[in-house]
Amino acid sequence: MDADRQHVPGLNPGELVDPQFVELAVEVFSMLADPTRVKIVLALRGGELPVNTIAVAVDKAPASVSQHLAKLRLARIVATRQDGTRVFYRLANEHAGQLVTDAVHQAEHALGQPRHHQTTTDPA
């Protein structure tokens, strides 16, 4: 029913979002409402990594990182590839990485320090 759908700015005019997608979006935000999970997503923006490398990148124990990765996998935010006995993790698609990047940029704005807008100049 269209009365249940919400218009979302940025979508085509008149395009409405199904309520189930709104609910799932809330679940994604809930899943990412953890500093370790945000750090994991940031670490995986560069490509797939094994648990131990992710653990070093986020400064957490591998067992803890494995638990967070399991939750992210169930939420379909990360995917895996097995190579022998090693499991490599990657972002399931580009959207989670972009969402976290945008959240970090929003945080920079909230603090009045939007580093992503700064340009570096080469002192020549």
Side-chain angles (χ1 to χ4, degrees), residues 33-123:
D34 180 280
T36 299
R37 291 187 205 129
V38 168
K39 290 177 184 178
I40 288 170
V41 171
L42 290 170
L44 291 174
R45 288 182 310 168
E48 67 179 20
L49 297 169
V51 173
N52 288 337
T53 303
I54 298 168
V56 169
V58 302
D59 196 29
K60 295 288 182 184
S64 172
V65 170
S66 289
Q67 290 177 352
H68 285 289
L69 285 165
K71 290 178 182 180
L72 290 169
R73 186 175 179 198
L74 284 173
R76 296 183 182 144
I77 293 172
V78 299
T80 61
R81 175 181 68 85
Q82 189 151 354
D83 185 12
T85 59
R86 294 181 79 186
V87 178
F88 291 86
Y89 290 85
R90 69 182 182 283
L91 295 177
N93 58 58
E94 73 279 6
H95 298 291
Q98 187 62 54
L99 183 61
V100 169
T101 298
D102 288 343
V104 169
H105 289 170
Q106 178 61 33
E108 290 174 354
H109 278 278
L111 295 175
Q113 302 170 2
R115 297 181 310 167
H116 60 281
H117 287 298
Q118 296 174 358
T119 58
T120 57
T121 56
D122 187 34

